Amino acid sequence: MEQLEICIFSAFLILLHSPNAVPVTVSSGNPRVEVPENADAVLSCVFKTERDSAPRIEWKRTGKDVSFVYYDGKFSGDYAGRAQIDGATVTLYKVTQKDTGEYRCEVSATQDRVKLGETNITLKVLVPPHTPLCEIPSSAVTGSTVELRCSDKQSVPPAIYTWYKDNNLLSVTRWSNITYTLDTNTGTLRFKTVSRADTGQYRCVASNGVGVPKSCEGKHMKIDDVNVAVIIAVVVVVFIILACSLGVYYAYRQGYFRKGHSGRSFWIPQCHGISHISSQTLHRADDINNTNYSPPQDSQDFKHTKSFML
């Protein structure tokens, strides 16, 4: 009997000092936590120690910069006053988007052979949709390409977009008679060639499964036919103005308007016809001021000809 007790005690000592003895272990019942904004987030941390009955517990926020959440028996920074610890599990109250990130629970057991255990928890704060920003043109012409845009950059996860025309949901199915394409991820509604049938009031709705979907204010888009007569008239007027300008520029380049040029006839295109004049007329004022000048006596000097002097 005594030998049996010695064997049991020896086996216990061997098991106690065996490398296979269970050291400090740390785990989480929910390593990925997703909660809506302004709700409470529970970051679970469960540990077991080999010998140490009062291990040191620390919480850190990891990432680019490591910062303490819970250290030396108290919460740090802006976590003070809005967090609570129970065992090693931390509850954060009324979380916001800036609380999203990676957290690590560390348990130090100085009396154990393996003195440190840790587990990581990811916290994602969900944000419901905000009123999306919509870009809807007020008008367009038939046959043109038109894009309507919708975006909500604040929602988490990213919003899915739907479009309505005159309060009727626009289908995303690619039917043969549909003249548009709709990307529900980017919120872009694109008409490759609009027609008058596309006239109507458009609005966009953003939703992400968190909170209530939000819609932008509806806006009317009018599609008009192209006025061919007006376009032709504008082209003709521009052509006439361009022709007149080029004619004057050509005459100037030839030196017809330069001082001292005389005795040469030339043609100047004009908007109301073409006149053939002598360049001497351009210097008539200079000749009148000349003391040797005498006015013509014969009325024939002023007779109209194909080429005449002013």
Side-chain angles (χ1 to χ4, degrees):
M1 187 67 178
E2 183 179 354
Q3 292 180 349
L4 179 61
E5 291 178 352
I6 294 174
C7 289
I8 294 176
F9 182 73
S10 299
F12 175 76
L13 292 177
I14 293 173
L15 181 62
L16 184 63
H17 294 281
S18 172
N20 295 324
V22 178
V24 58
T25 59
V26 183
S27 62
S28 176
N30 187 11
R32 298 186 64 86
V33 180
E34 294 185 356
V35 294
E37 192 175 30
N38 295 317
D40 299 339
V42 178
L43 309 183
S44 170
C45 182
V46 179
F47 67 90
K48 292 181 180 180
T49 59
E50 183 182 1
R51 297 188 184 91
D52 201 332
S53 60
R56 186 180 67 189
I57 299 170
E58 294 178 0
W59 274 91
K60 297 176 182 178
R61 182 169 181 174
T62 59
K64 290 184 178 180
D65 299 317
V66 177
S67 58
F68 281 104
V69 175
Y70 182 82
Y71 175 74
D72 196 21
K74 58 184 178 181
F75 287 97
S76 305
D78 63 350
Y79 297 99
R82 67 181 190 96
Q84 179 181 334
I85 191 167
D86 181 10
T89 296
V90 167
T91 301
L92 302 179
Y93 298 112
K94 294 184 177 181
V95 293
T96 62
Q97 184 60 35
K98 65 181 182 179
D99 292 319
T100 294
E102 301 289 330
Y103 294 81
R104 183 168 66 229
C105 174
E106 298 180 357
V107 178
S108 300
T110 57
Q111 299 179 18
D112 290 12
R113 285 177 297 108
V114 178
K115 301 183 183 305
L116 178 66
E118 62 183 39
T119 187
N120 295 300
I121 297 96
T122 300
L123 173 61
K124 186 176 183 180
V125 179
L126 307 179
V127 181
H130 290 66
T131 300
L133 175 64
C134 294
E135 299 179 22
I136 304 170
S138 58
S139 63
V141 294
T142 55
S144 62
T145 299
V146 177
E147 285 189 354
L148 284 67
R149 298 181 180 88
C150 180
S151 63
D152 171 21
K153 297 181 179 180
Q154 301 182 51
S155 60
V156 180
I160 298 297
Y161 304 98
T162 53
W163 280 92
Y164 289 80
K165 176 190 174 186
D166 298 328
N167 289 325
N168 295 316
L169 177 65
L170 294 179
S171 173
V172 296
T173 307
R174 295 181 177 272
W175 298 106
S176 59
N177 61 339
I178 289 181
T179 61
Y180 61 84
T181 57
L182 173 57
D183 191 326
T184 58
N185 294 317
T186 64
T188 301
L189 174 62
R190 187 175 189 269
F191 294 89
K192 187 174 182 180
T193 53
V194 291
S195 64
R196 297 188 65 181
D198 296 317
T199 295
Q201 187 181 63
Y202 291 83
R203 65 184 180 91
C204 169
V205 175
S207 59
N208 67 347
V210 182
V212 180
K214 293 294 181 69
S215 171
C216 66
E217 185 177 355
K219 185 177 179 180
H220 188 78
M221 181 175 72
K222 184 179 180 182
I223 309 299
D224 295 316
D225 290 329
V226 178
N227 195 329
V228 179
V230 172
I231 293 178
I232 293 176
V234 171
V235 171
V236 170
V237 170
V238 170
F239 178 78
I240 293 174
I241 294 174
L242 183 61
C244 292
S245 300
L246 288 176
V248 173
Y249 176 74
Y250 176 77
Y252 176 78
R253 293 284 294 176
Q254 295 298 317
Y256 298 135
F257 297 130
R258 296 175 184 172
K259 186 175 181 179
H261 182 83
S262 61
R264 184 178 178 184
S265 298
F266 55 90
W267 297 85
I268 297 181
Q270 297 184 358
C271 296
H272 299 290
I274 301 176
S275 296
H276 179 214
I277 67 175
S278 171
S279 62
Q280 291 176 349
T281 61
L282 301 176
H283 307 286
R284 177 61 63 190
D286 294 338
D287 294 339
I288 292 175
N289 293 330
N290 193 323
T291 56
N292 295 325
Y293 172 79
S294 59
Q297 302 298 321
D298 192 346
S299 61
Q300 292 298 321
D301 291 341
F302 296 94
K303 183 174 67 175
H304 291 281
T305 64
K306 292 183 179 179
S307 178
F308 62 92
M309 298 289 186
L310 294 179

